[in-house]
PDB file of all heavy atoms in Angstrom:
ATOM      1  N   ASP T   1       0.830  -1.199   0.006  1.00 93.00           N
ATOM      2  CA  ASP T   1       0.011   0.009  -0.009  1.00 93.00           C
ATOM      3  C   ASP T   1       0.872   1.215  -0.011  1.00 93.00           C
ATOM      4  O   ASP T   1       0.533   2.206  -0.746  1.00 93.00           O
ATOM      5  CB  ASP T   1      -0.880   0.015   1.201  1.00 93.00           C
ATOM      6  CG  ASP T   1      -2.112   0.739   1.120  1.00 93.00           C
ATOM      7  OD1 ASP T   1      -2.248   1.547   0.100  1.00 93.00           O
ATOM      8  OD2 ASP T   1      -3.099   0.629   1.875  1.00 93.00           O
ATOM      9  N   ALA T   2       1.897   1.324   0.870  1.00 95.00           N
ATOM     10  CA  ALA T   2       2.813   2.404   0.960  1.00 95.00           C
ATOM     11  C   ALA T   2       3.548   2.656  -0.349  1.00 95.00           C
ATOM     12  O   ALA T   2       3.686   3.787  -0.849  1.00 95.00           O
ATOM     13  CB  ALA T   2       3.758   2.266   2.063  1.00 95.00           C
ATOM     14  N   MET T   3       4.048   1.613  -1.013  1.00 96.00           N
ATOM     15  CA  MET T   3       4.760   1.770  -2.274  1.00 96.00           C
ATOM     16  C   MET T   3       3.806   2.210  -3.395  1.00 96.00           C
ATOM     17  O   MET T   3       4.217   2.968  -4.218  1.00 96.00           O
ATOM     18  CB  MET T   3       5.391   0.479  -2.683  1.00 96.00           C
ATOM     19  CG  MET T   3       6.768   0.240  -1.973  1.00 96.00           C
ATOM     20  SD  MET T   3       7.964   1.609  -2.079  1.00 96.00           S
ATOM     21  CE  MET T   3       8.241   1.567  -3.832  1.00 96.00           C
ATOM     22  N   VAL T   4       2.600   1.739  -3.381  1.00 97.00           N
ATOM     23  CA  VAL T   4       1.587   2.166  -4.355  1.00 97.00           C
ATOM     24  C   VAL T   4       1.442   3.700  -4.320  1.00 97.00           C
ATOM     25  O   VAL T   4       1.455   4.459  -5.230  1.00 97.00           O
ATOM     26  CB  VAL T   4       0.230   1.458  -4.227  1.00 97.00           C
ATOM     27  CG1 VAL T   4      -0.894   2.185  -5.023  1.00 97.00           C
ATOM     28  CG2 VAL T   4       0.421  -0.036  -4.716  1.00 97.00           C
ATOM     29  N   GLN T   5       1.350   4.230  -3.073  1.00 96.00           N
ATOM     30  CA  GLN T   5       1.113   5.634  -2.869  1.00 96.00           C
ATOM     31  C   GLN T   5       2.484   6.391  -3.187  1.00 96.00           C
ATOM     32  O   GLN T   5       2.419   7.530  -3.710  1.00 96.00           O
ATOM     33  CB  GLN T   5       0.826   5.896  -1.356  1.00 96.00           C
ATOM     34  CG  GLN T   5      -0.573   5.348  -1.128  1.00 96.00           C
ATOM     35  CD  GLN T   5      -1.156   5.832   0.188  1.00 96.00           C
ATOM     36  OE1 GLN T   5      -0.911   6.961   0.565  1.00 96.00           O
ATOM     37  NE2 GLN T   5      -1.984   5.038   0.768  1.00 96.00           N
ATOM     38  N   ILE T   6       3.617   5.781  -3.094  1.00 96.00           N
ATOM     39  CA  ILE T   6       4.867   6.461  -3.472  1.00 96.00           C
ATOM     40  C   ILE T   6       4.936   6.467  -5.057  1.00 96.00           C
ATOM     41  O   ILE T   6       5.312   7.475  -5.638  1.00 96.00           O
ATOM     42  CB  ILE T   6       6.111   5.750  -2.893  1.00 96.00           C
ATOM     43  CG1 ILE T   6       6.165   6.040  -1.355  1.00 96.00           C
ATOM     44  CG2 ILE T   6       7.355   6.143  -3.621  1.00 96.00           C
ATOM     45  CD1 ILE T   6       7.092   5.192  -0.664  1.00 96.00           C
ATOM     46  N   LEU T   7       4.610   5.362  -5.685  1.00 96.00           N
ATOM     47  CA  LEU T   7       4.679   5.221  -7.140  1.00 96.00           C
ATOM     48  C   LEU T   7       3.689   6.011  -7.896  1.00 96.00           C
ATOM     49  O   LEU T   7       3.845   6.382  -9.057  1.00 96.00           O
ATOM     50  CB  LEU T   7       4.698   3.814  -7.550  1.00 96.00           C
ATOM     51  CG  LEU T   7       5.856   2.920  -7.120  1.00 96.00           C
ATOM     52  CD1 LEU T   7       5.551   1.459  -7.270  1.00 96.00           C
ATOM     53  CD2 LEU T   7       7.094   3.334  -7.835  1.00 96.00           C
ATOM     54  N   LEU T   8       2.478   6.264  -7.124  1.00 97.00           N
ATOM     55  CA  LEU T   8       1.404   7.058  -7.755  1.00 97.00           C
ATOM     56  C   LEU T   8       1.114   8.240  -6.831  1.00 97.00           C
ATOM     57  O   LEU T   8       0.117   8.249  -6.126  1.00 97.00           O
ATOM     58  CB  LEU T   8       0.174   6.180  -7.940  1.00 97.00           C
ATOM     59  CG  LEU T   8       0.346   4.955  -8.761  1.00 97.00           C
ATOM     60  CD1 LEU T   8      -0.923   4.015  -8.705  1.00 97.00           C
ATOM     61  CD2 LEU T   8       0.686   5.266 -10.242  1.00 97.00           C
ATOM     62  N   PRO T   9       1.974   9.316  -6.844  1.00 94.00           N
ATOM     63  CA  PRO T   9       1.778  10.451  -5.877  1.00 94.00           C
ATOM     64  C   PRO T   9       0.462  11.029  -6.014  1.00 94.00           C
ATOM     65  O   PRO T   9      -0.073  11.235  -7.065  1.00 94.00           O
ATOM     66  CB  PRO T   9       2.863  11.364  -6.354  1.00 94.00           C
ATOM     67  CG  PRO T   9       3.863  10.651  -7.204  1.00 94.00           C
ATOM     68  CD  PRO T   9       3.066   9.459  -7.811  1.00 94.00           C
ATOM     69  N   GLY T  10      -0.118  11.300  -4.790  1.00 94.00           N
ATOM     70  CA  GLY T  10      -1.457  11.998  -4.726  1.00 94.00           C
ATOM     71  C   GLY T  10      -2.643  11.078  -4.941  1.00 94.00           C
ATOM     72  O   GLY T  10      -3.728  11.549  -4.897  1.00 94.00           O
ATOM     73  N   VAL T  11      -2.404   9.769  -5.125  1.00 96.00           N
ATOM     74  CA  VAL T  11      -3.494   8.869  -5.293  1.00 96.00           C
ATOM     75  C   VAL T  11      -4.383   8.770  -4.114  1.00 96.00           C
ATOM     76  O   VAL T  11      -3.914   8.759  -2.953  1.00 96.00           O
ATOM     77  CB  VAL T  11      -2.940   7.431  -5.777  1.00 96.00           C
ATOM     78  CG1 VAL T  11      -2.171   6.740  -4.605  1.00 96.00           C
ATOM     79  CG2 VAL T  11      -4.188   6.567  -6.222  1.00 96.00           C
ATOM     80  N   LYS T  12      -5.672   8.775  -4.338  1.00 97.00           N
ATOM     81  CA  LYS T  12      -6.700   8.477  -3.224  1.00 97.00           C
ATOM     82  C   LYS T  12      -7.224   7.023  -3.534  1.00 97.00           C
ATOM     83  O   LYS T  12      -7.937   6.856  -4.492  1.00 97.00           O
ATOM     84  CB  LYS T  12      -7.701   9.511  -3.313  1.00 97.00           C
ATOM     85  CG  LYS T  12      -7.269  10.862  -2.806  1.00 97.00           C
ATOM     86  CD  LYS T  12      -8.441  11.842  -2.545  1.00 97.00           C
ATOM     87  CE  LYS T  12      -8.137  13.181  -2.226  1.00 97.00           C
ATOM     88  NZ  LYS T  12      -6.799  13.644  -1.952  1.00 97.00           N
ATOM     89  N   ILE T  13      -6.807   6.124  -2.662  1.00 96.00           N
ATOM     90  CA  ILE T  13      -7.173   4.732  -2.951  1.00 96.00           C
ATOM     91  C   ILE T  13      -8.516   4.364  -2.269  1.00 96.00           C
ATOM     92  O   ILE T  13      -8.710   4.760  -1.085  1.00 96.00           O
ATOM     93  CB  ILE T  13      -6.026   3.798  -2.390  1.00 96.00           C
ATOM     94  CG1 ILE T  13      -4.695   4.205  -3.087  1.00 96.00           C
ATOM     95  CG2 ILE T  13      -6.429   2.298  -2.602  1.00 96.00           C
ATOM     96  CD1 ILE T  13      -3.522   3.411  -2.492  1.00 96.00           C
ATOM     97  N   ASN T  14      -9.356   3.745  -3.012  1.00 96.00           N
ATOM     98  CA  ASN T  14     -10.654   3.420  -2.556  1.00 96.00           C
ATOM     99  C   ASN T  14     -10.767   2.056  -1.893  1.00 96.00           C
ATOM    100  O   ASN T  14     -11.542   1.169  -2.305  1.00 96.00           O
ATOM    101  CB  ASN T  14     -11.716   3.470  -3.761  1.00 96.00           C
ATOM    102  CG  ASN T  14     -11.843   4.815  -4.323  1.00 96.00           C
ATOM    103  OD1 ASN T  14     -12.068   5.848  -3.500  1.00 96.00           O
ATOM    104  ND2 ASN T  14     -11.759   4.976  -5.578  1.00 96.00           N
ATOM    105  N   GLY T  15      -9.939   1.840  -0.875  1.00 95.00           N
ATOM    106  CA  GLY T  15      -9.981   0.678  -0.081  1.00 95.00           C
ATOM    107  C   GLY T  15      -8.844  -0.330  -0.429  1.00 95.00           C
ATOM    108  O   GLY T  15      -8.150  -0.129  -1.483  1.00 95.00           O
ATOM    109  N   PRO T  16      -8.601  -1.330   0.474  1.00 94.00           N
ATOM    110  CA  PRO T  16      -7.561  -2.271   0.213  1.00 94.00           C
ATOM    111  C   PRO T  16      -7.652  -3.112  -1.018  1.00 94.00           C
ATOM    112  O   PRO T  16      -6.627  -3.483  -1.627  1.00 94.00           O
ATOM    113  CB  PRO T  16      -7.650  -3.218   1.493  1.00 94.00           C
ATOM    114  CG  PRO T  16      -8.890  -2.860   2.284  1.00 94.00           C
ATOM    115  CD  PRO T  16      -9.391  -1.530   1.614  1.00 94.00           C
ATOM    116  N   ASP T  17      -8.839  -3.441  -1.510  1.00 96.00           N
ATOM    117  CA  ASP T  17      -8.996  -4.229  -2.745  1.00 96.00           C
ATOM    118  C   ASP T  17      -8.535  -3.407  -3.934  1.00 96.00           C
ATOM    119  O   ASP T  17      -7.867  -3.835  -4.885  1.00 96.00           O
ATOM    120  CB  ASP T  17     -10.403  -4.715  -2.921  1.00 96.00           C
ATOM    121  CG  ASP T  17     -10.818  -5.651  -1.729  1.00 96.00           C
ATOM    122  OD1 ASP T  17     -10.273  -6.740  -1.715  1.00 96.00           O
ATOM    123  OD2 ASP T  17     -11.690  -5.218  -0.909  1.00 96.00           O
ATOM    124  N   ALA T  18      -8.880  -2.092  -3.970  1.00 97.00           N
ATOM    125  CA  ALA T  18      -8.382  -1.186  -4.984  1.00 97.00           C
ATOM    126  C   ALA T  18      -6.978  -0.978  -4.964  1.00 97.00           C
ATOM    127  O   ALA T  18      -6.251  -0.942  -5.959  1.00 97.00           O
ATOM    128  CB  ALA T  18      -9.081   0.116  -4.865  1.00 97.00           C
ATOM    129  N   ALA T  19      -6.322  -0.949  -3.714  1.00 96.00           N
ATOM    130  CA  ALA T  19      -4.861  -0.876  -3.636  1.00 96.00           C
ATOM    131  C   ALA T  19      -4.157  -2.045  -4.217  1.00 96.00           C
ATOM    132  O   ALA T  19      -3.172  -1.845  -4.886  1.00 96.00           O
ATOM    133  CB  ALA T  19      -4.484  -0.692  -2.099  1.00 96.00           C
ATOM    134  N   ASP T  20      -4.714  -3.199  -3.948  1.00 96.00           N
ATOM    135  CA  ASP T  20      -4.132  -4.433  -4.538  1.00 96.00           C
ATOM    136  C   ASP T  20      -4.261  -4.424  -6.012  1.00 96.00           C
ATOM    137  O   ASP T  20      -3.333  -4.895  -6.714  1.00 96.00           O
ATOM    138  CB  ASP T  20      -4.869  -5.649  -3.966  1.00 96.00           C
ATOM    139  CG  ASP T  20      -4.475  -5.917  -2.489  1.00 96.00           C
ATOM    140  OD1 ASP T  20      -3.574  -5.278  -1.955  1.00 96.00           O
ATOM    141  OD2 ASP T  20      -5.194  -6.784  -1.885  1.00 96.00           O
ATOM    142  N   ALA T  21      -5.393  -3.925  -6.512  1.00 98.00           N
ATOM    143  CA  ALA T  21      -5.575  -3.868  -7.940  1.00 98.00           C
ATOM    144  C   ALA T  21      -4.576  -2.887  -8.639  1.00 98.00           C
ATOM    145  O   ALA T  21      -4.051  -3.122  -9.651  1.00 98.00           O
ATOM    146  CB  ALA T  21      -6.946  -3.474  -8.322  1.00 98.00           C
ATOM    147  N   LEU T  22      -4.291  -1.809  -7.934  1.00 98.00           N
ATOM    148  CA  LEU T  22      -3.391  -0.792  -8.476  1.00 98.00           C
ATOM    149  C   LEU T  22      -2.000  -1.383  -8.536  1.00 98.00           C
ATOM    150  O   LEU T  22      -1.206  -1.207  -9.424  1.00 98.00           O
ATOM    151  CB  LEU T  22      -3.387   0.512  -7.665  1.00 98.00           C
ATOM    152  CG  LEU T  22      -4.512   1.361  -7.920  1.00 98.00           C
ATOM    153  CD1 LEU T  22      -4.603   2.499  -6.839  1.00 98.00           C
ATOM    154  CD2 LEU T  22      -4.434   2.013  -9.359  1.00 98.00           C
ATOM    155  N   ALA T  23      -1.644  -2.230  -7.496  1.00 98.00           N
ATOM    156  CA  ALA T  23      -0.337  -2.961  -7.417  1.00 98.00           C
ATOM    157  C   ALA T  23      -0.258  -3.889  -8.625  1.00 98.00           C
ATOM    158  O   ALA T  23       0.820  -4.005  -9.294  1.00 98.00           O
ATOM    159  CB  ALA T  23      -0.179  -3.626  -6.100  1.00 98.00           C
ATOM    160  N   VAL T  24      -1.275  -4.583  -8.980  1.00 98.00           N
ATOM    161  CA  VAL T  24      -1.340  -5.522 -10.109  1.00 98.00           C
ATOM    162  C   VAL T  24      -1.101  -4.674 -11.329  1.00 98.00           C
ATOM    163  O   VAL T  24      -0.287  -5.098 -12.239  1.00 98.00           O
ATOM    164  CB  VAL T  24      -2.604  -6.280 -10.187  1.00 98.00           C
ATOM    165  CG1 VAL T  24      -2.761  -7.013 -11.418  1.00 98.00           C
ATOM    166  CG2 VAL T  24      -2.773  -7.169  -8.949  1.00 98.00           C
ATOM    167  N   ALA T  25      -1.698  -3.524 -11.483  1.00 98.00           N
ATOM    168  CA  ALA T  25      -1.515  -2.696 -12.706  1.00 98.00           C
ATOM    169  C   ALA T  25      -0.107  -2.199 -12.739  1.00 98.00           C
ATOM    170  O   ALA T  25       0.480  -2.141 -13.883  1.00 98.00           O
ATOM    171  CB  ALA T  25      -2.576  -1.486 -12.617  1.00 98.00           C
ATOM    172  N   ILE T  26       0.477  -1.827 -11.696  1.00 98.00           N
ATOM    173  CA  ILE T  26       1.860  -1.280 -11.575  1.00 98.00           C
ATOM    174  C   ILE T  26       2.844  -2.494 -12.058  1.00 98.00           C
ATOM    175  O   ILE T  26       3.779  -2.273 -12.809  1.00 98.00           O
ATOM    176  CB  ILE T  26       2.252  -0.810 -10.227  1.00 98.00           C
ATOM    177  CG1 ILE T  26       1.507   0.472  -9.938  1.00 98.00           C
ATOM    178  CG2 ILE T  26       3.786  -0.604 -10.130  1.00 98.00           C
ATOM    179  CD1 ILE T  26       1.560   0.991  -8.534  1.00 98.00           C
TER     180      ILE T  26
END
């Protein structure tokens, strides 16, 4: 979760499932 926020500055994540999905996209 922390790395997703670092790699996508300013992102507002809509919950843990969305954070995991963003990690998959990254």
Side-chain angles (χ1 to χ4, degrees):
D1 204 346
M3 280 305 295
V4 166
Q5 294 194 33
I6 289 168
L7 293 169
L8 303 172
V11 66
K12 290 191 183 351
I13 300 174
N14 295 313
D17 299 293
D20 289 348
L22 284 168
V24 173
I26 291 167

